Amino acid sequence: MLTLFHAPRSRSSRIVTLLRELDAIDKVAIEIVDITRGDGSGRKDPKNPHPEGKVPLVVHDGVVIWESIAIIQYLTDLFPEKRMAPVAGDPQRGRYLSWLAWYAGVVEPVLIAQAAGISHPFVDATFRGPAELAARLEAALTDSPYLMGERYTAVDLLLHSPFAWYPAATPDSDVVKAWIERCGERPPLQWTADYDARTVGAA
Ligand SMILES: N[C@@H](CCC(=O)N[C@@H](CS)C(=O)NCC(=O)O)C(=O)O
């Protein structure tokens, strides 16, 4: 039994989109839950087994899997047919895992600090900043349509998402902007937007 705990229009929307990309949406029960939102709306939902009341959360045969990165890796391993991630043994797997880890370890802290207007020598020295983030993306995308080369993978789905949500954070780079637009054209994104519009407020 595989269940995704999902709050419409949140970080778990990316997991719904991934499940569509993986052609696995029908293999997962989606439980719509409420969450506390940045604007003060919502609440910690007792239906959600996440200890902090966050989403996304997946429960597979009683095992709780939390954090977007772990969930993305888990699901792409479980449903490898659509090749949304290089499988173990593929020479490109390490490069893929690095993008995935970089998102959680660097991209989110940098973007949150930027949105909060935080600049501190410890923070800047540890994570670097928006300029370094932009340079990494631009270097990767200058001769490639996607982060892993010719093929769209789960790291494109994940890494373009904060810029799709907060266009103000988008690096001032034509290649990065073109990549965000390319990623935004994937039909599963529209599917999730429609799904979220139907289910928002259903918790
Ligand atoms: N690092 C976590 C972050 C999860 C997270 O903060 N999710 C938000 C939704 S966008 C949430 O559940 N917020 C509710 C809360 O903080 O109580 C992940 O990527 O899975």
Side-chain angles (χ1 to χ4, degrees), residues 10-11 14 35-36 52-56 67-68:
S10 77
R11 283 176 174 85
R14 302 185 296 209
I35 52 168
T36 53
E52 296 165 46
K54 290 185 177 186
V55 294
E67 285 296 321
S68 300

Side-chain angles (χ1 to χ4, degrees), residues 15 29 40 43 54 59 65 73 79 87 105 141 145 174 178 197:
I15 306 301
R43 70 196 159 108
K54 290 185 177 186
V59 180
I65 306 149
Q73 194 169 337
F79 302 110
V87 295
L141 295 163
D174 288 345

Side-chain angles (χ1 to χ4, degrees), residues 28 36 38 44 55 91 195 201:
V28 179
T36 53
K44 188 174 174 191
V55 294
Y195 178 77

Side-chain angles (χ1 to χ4, degrees), residues 13-68:
S13 298
R14 302 185 296 209
I15 306 301
V16 174
T17 304
L18 178 64
L19 288 167
R20 280 293 289 187
E21 290 280 4
L22 295 170
D23 206 10
I25 199 90
D26 296 335
K27 299 182 177 111
V28 179
I30 300 183
E31 186 80 42
I32 304 291
V33 294
D34 202 1
I35 52 168
T36 53
R37 307 251 178 191
D39 62 3
S41 66
R43 70 196 159 108
K44 188 174 174 191
D45 195 325
K47 284 200 303 291
N48 182 358
H50 192 296
E52 296 165 46
K54 290 185 177 186
V55 294
L57 186 90
V58 164
V59 180
H60 193 191
D61 293 338
V63 176
V64 172
I65 306 149
W66 75 101
E67 285 296 321
S68 300

Side-chain angles (χ1 to χ4, degrees), residues 146-175:
Y146 298 111
L147 292 171
M148 292 298 294
E150 293 301 314
R151 193 178 180 84
Y152 176 85
T153 67
V155 289
D156 298 293
L157 190 165
L158 178 69
L159 273 99
H160 98 281
S161 65
F163 308 116
W165 289 337
Y166 305 111
T170 302
D172 188 17
S173 154
D174 288 345
V175 290

